[in-house]
Amino acid sequence: MTEDKDKVLSKYQKWHTITLSFNGEETSETAEINPFLNYKSMVNFTHEQSQYAIRGFYAADGSAAETSANSGSVWQVRFTPDKIGEWSYEATLYKGEEIALQQITANTEKLPIADASGKFMVVPSNKKAPDFRAQGRLVNANGYFKFQHSDTYWIKGGADSPENLLAYGDFDGTYRMQAAERDGESKTSQLLHQYEPHLKDWNSGDPTWQNDKGKGLVGAMNYLASKGMNVAYFLTMNIKGDGKDVWPYAEPDDFTRFDVSKLAQWEIVFQHMQSKGIFLHAVLQETENETMLDNGDTGSLRQLYFQEMVARFGHHLGLQWNLGEENGFAEFTPIAQNDSQRKAMTDYLTQIDPYDYPILLHTHSHEPARGNVLDSIVGYKNLDGLSLQVDKRENAAKVVTEWKKKSKATGHPWLIAMDEIGMWHTGVVPDSVDYNHDSIRRYVLWGTLLSGAAGVEWYYGANNRYNDLNTEDWRTTDRLWELTDHALQFFQNHLPYWEMEANPERISAV
């Protein structure tokens, strides 16, 4: 009887995240032999029709979201199977000087780990849309989002603010290094986000950690989803930036060691967002810190950062990697990455991402700064498109059309999303100030979607009560979410927008 039970394989569902844990060598975030740099965990997943090599990560005691542990012997991997049937896996843990950044050779030291191999069955998913597990992974298809292995396209709409969404008081190791008081930027105090107005949106059965932590942010995502919104923008690292309150590291001055429990708590929120159909717009850096790692190169520190982000979060189905906010030289940000550095980042992310998620670049808000950066990279094979910023809303559709045409002319049409509308001091205002958001609705929402944009996100200007750094309550623009949902539904249900081309000459000026 025991022998028969042993033959029964564990069952998982297609498109559902599988987290496997392996016991290896005891270590800690602060160990002399750095577990993030001097160990490397790889797991090969094999199906008769496909194979994936997935990077694992150090997980402390394996339950760090609950325990806040920073030590232990557990290594984990997260994998999202895309095929029904039997899968096998084999895990290997390597050790060596900076092995995380090196190629494995025959001489690389292998460490013993428990239960390193096994098999499991994958069956169809029981989820329904908008849960991404109902339809699968979103990829770039000729300049639009599309569900992989299907003919279904997808268009996004949602929240661009606050950019420091993850500066949340319930996350371990999270604090604000300095309040923001600069002219031309959103202001902050020393207080972190709590999202208290959305506590009432948390529902029984929703995730929490450590005795009911997380309800405010989880409730906020519930609210956005209830309004039909399907994307949220967030920085994963804003050291030296506007907020100075989000980073994946155990300490903000050591870029080789990561905060295991904080990142595990981020993952709880990300999983919930995916279950609600909320796309993860992950922005990897800001204009102020784009040269902080390796002086802008894709050297050891940037490689390690990208590897950890991909290993821990790259399994999600609705995800894009944004190379950085306002990337590149402008008069207000003269210390910046150059064209070769942008391309190196793009190439490295492409190399380490096993799922080929869209890679986008956030732009400057106006010419000539925007064009000076983009003219040198338009058509680059590994860059999927633009996270577009435009200062004057009347020009938004024109800018989308311009870069759609330029990229198409190279033979590599860009996916272009209208992600930040200016001006910086105003952006989107509360419903109480402009209930019907007439200019936003006309020039940005409908104007850019009809010009070929793959979606829109709404930025709260610096002079609003709730701005790009201190937003606590998304109900202040409840009407705007309704207007956005109306447009998304029209495009999703009534237009083959992925086959259409903008023709503004046919529009009457009357």
Side-chain angles (χ1 to χ4, degrees):
M1 193 70 177
T2 301
E3 183 176 342
D4 290 339
K5 283 185 177 180
D6 290 342
K7 293 180 181 179
V8 176
L9 300 182
S10 297
K11 288 186 178 180
Y12 300 97
Q13 295 183 47
K14 182 181 179 183
W15 300 125
H16 291 228
T17 297
I18 298 171
T19 300
L20 300 178
S21 297
F22 307 96
N23 279 308
E25 190 165 280
E26 180 82 20
T27 184
S28 74
E29 293 175 4
T30 59
E32 182 178 354
I33 300 176
N34 187 328
F36 309 101
L37 191 59
N38 297 319
Y39 294 78
K40 186 173 187 175
S41 169
M42 294 298 301
V43 185
N44 290 319
F45 290 90
T46 304
H47 182 274
E48 63 179 359
Q49 297 177 1
S50 59
Q51 182 171 346
Y52 289 92
I54 305 296
R55 187 183 179 90
F57 54 90
Y58 178 57
D61 67 351
S63 302
E66 290 294 335
T67 65
S68 294
N70 65 6
S71 64
S73 59
V74 178
W75 306 79
Q76 291 183 332
V77 67
R78 295 177 181 138
F79 174 62
T80 307
D82 57 358
K83 300 285 191 307
I84 291 172
E86 183 176 297
W87 288 79
S88 63
Y89 65 87
E90 184 170 358
T92 309
L93 181 62
Y94 301 95
K95 184 178 181 181
E97 185 68 22
E98 295 194 355
I99 190 61
L101 309 176
Q102 310 298 326
Q103 294 292 325
I104 302 300
T105 70
N107 296 323
T108 304
E109 181 184 359
K110 294 182 181 180
L111 298 178
I113 53 175
D115 302 318
S117 62
K119 296 181 179 180
F120 56 85
M121 290 294 297
V122 173
V123 299
S125 174
N126 63 0
K127 300 300 180 182
K128 296 181 180 180
D131 191 321
F132 285 120
R133 292 171 293 181
Q135 299 182 82
R137 185 172 294 116
L138 283 171
V139 296
N140 173 30
N142 203 36
Y144 292 98
F145 292 108
K146 177 177 171 290
F147 285 103
Q148 197 175 32
H149 310 314
S150 81
D151 296 324
T152 303
Y153 285 79
W154 179 90
I155 196 164
K156 72 170 184 173
D160 182 81
S161 292
E163 66 180 22
N164 62 343
L165 179 77
L166 301 179
Y168 179 42
D170 284 1
F171 288 139
D172 284 355
T174 302
Y175 59 91
R176 181 163 294 137
M177 290 185 279
Q178 180 183 345
E181 295 292 340
R182 292 184 299 173
D183 290 340
E185 301 291 349
S186 299
K187 304 295 191 294
T188 65
S189 67
Q190 290 290 354
L191 299 176
L192 291 173
H193 292 300
Q194 295 296 332
Y195 307 116
E196 289 185 6
H198 291 291
L199 287 171
K200 62 185 177 183
D201 298 308
W202 185 89
N203 299 312
S204 178
D206 285 343
T208 61
W209 59 90
Q210 297 186 6
N211 297 320
D212 289 343
K213 287 184 178 181
K215 287 185 174 181
L217 182 51
V218 168
M221 295 301 103
N222 286 347
Y223 166 74
L224 288 173
S226 75
K227 304 303 294 186
M229 298 301 95
N230 61 15
V231 61
Y233 176 110
F234 55 86
L235 288 158
T236 55
M237 195 263 288
N238 68 6
I239 300 167
K240 294 187 177 182
D242 296 336
K244 300 178 180 64
D245 45 21
V246 178
W247 53 84
Y249 306 109
E251 298 293 341
D253 58 356
D254 185 345
F255 308 135
T256 69
R257 297 174 185 270
F258 295 81
D259 189 326
V260 172
S261 63
K262 177 198 292 187
L263 298 181
Q265 291 159 3
W266 286 9
E267 172 64 11
I268 291 172
V269 175
F270 293 162
Q271 286 191 19
H272 184 69
M273 291 167 68
Q274 296 280 281
S275 75
K276 292 294 182 180
I278 296 181
F279 184 86
L280 306 177
H281 184 168
V283 186
L284 295 167
Q285 60 184 0
E286 279 190 275
T287 190
E288 294 89 350
N289 62 26
E290 63 191 66
T291 62
M292 184 180 74
L293 302 178
D294 308 310
N295 295 315
D297 291 338
T298 302
S300 60
L301 295 178
R302 192 178 303 275
Q303 288 179 26
L304 189 62
Y305 171 44
F306 284 0
Q307 286 183 8
E308 289 289 334
M309 294 300 97
V310 170
R312 294 173 190 274
F313 310 123
H315 60 94
H316 288 293
L317 300 167
L319 167 71
Q320 73 179 29
W321 301 113
N322 188 324
L323 293 176
E325 185 182 76
E326 297 176 335
N327 190 267
F329 175 87
E331 288 186 0
F332 77 95
T333 179
I335 301 174
Q337 287 180 297
N338 59 38
D339 185 58
S340 64
Q341 291 172 327
R342 277 184 287 279
K343 290 176 179 176
M345 284 195 298
T346 306
D347 293 344
Y348 189 73
L349 266 177
T350 301
Q351 173 189 331
I352 66 172
D353 179 4
Y355 302 117
D356 194 27
Y357 283 109
I359 300 172
L360 275 69
L361 180 71
H362 190 267
T363 74
H364 288 301
S365 65
H366 57 80
E367 302 301 336
R370 181 171 53 221
N372 286 343
V373 171
L374 301 184
D375 280 337
S376 59
I377 201 170
V378 63
Y380 192 65
K381 59 185 175 70
N382 286 332
L383 184 64
D384 292 286
L386 300 180
S387 176
L388 191 64
Q389 179 186 187
V390 178
D391 53 1
K392 297 181 180 178
R393 60 195 62 189
E394 295 84 359
N395 295 336
K398 178 182 177 181
V399 176
V400 170
T401 302
E402 174 187 0
W403 289 104
K404 290 287 284 190
K405 287 183 177 179
K406 284 186 175 182
S407 64
K408 186 176 181 180
T410 70
H412 180 56
W414 267 348
L415 185 159
I416 299 179
M418 183 60 250
D419 287 342
E420 183 173 343
I421 193 65
M423 298 284 290
W424 66 267
H425 46 70
T426 305
V428 169
V429 299
D431 294 345
S432 59
V433 176
D434 182 6
Y435 183 71
N436 281 317
H437 302 276
D438 290 331
S439 63
I440 286 288
R441 186 180 73 248
R442 174 183 178 183
Y443 295 115
V444 187
L445 178 58
W446 288 94
T448 63
L449 293 182
L450 288 168
S451 299
V456 295
E457 295 177 16
W458 300 121
Y459 160 82
Y460 291 175
N463 290 350
N464 294 328
R465 177 195 172 195
Y466 283 139
N467 59 46
D468 198 32
L469 294 177
N470 71 0
T471 295
E472 294 290 295
D473 185 2
W474 283 273
R475 279 191 174 83
T476 58
T477 51
D478 189 84
R479 174 62 172 164
L480 182 61
W481 307 131
E482 293 175 352
L483 296 170
T484 304
D485 182 48
H486 180 73
L488 296 184
Q489 292 299 323
F490 180 79
F491 271 78
Q492 198 69 60
N493 297 327
H494 301 292
L495 292 180
Y497 57 86
W498 55 92
E499 298 176 350
M500 302 168 70
E501 289 195 27
N503 190 354
E505 292 77 13
R506 299 187 63 181
I507 299 175
S508 171
V510 177

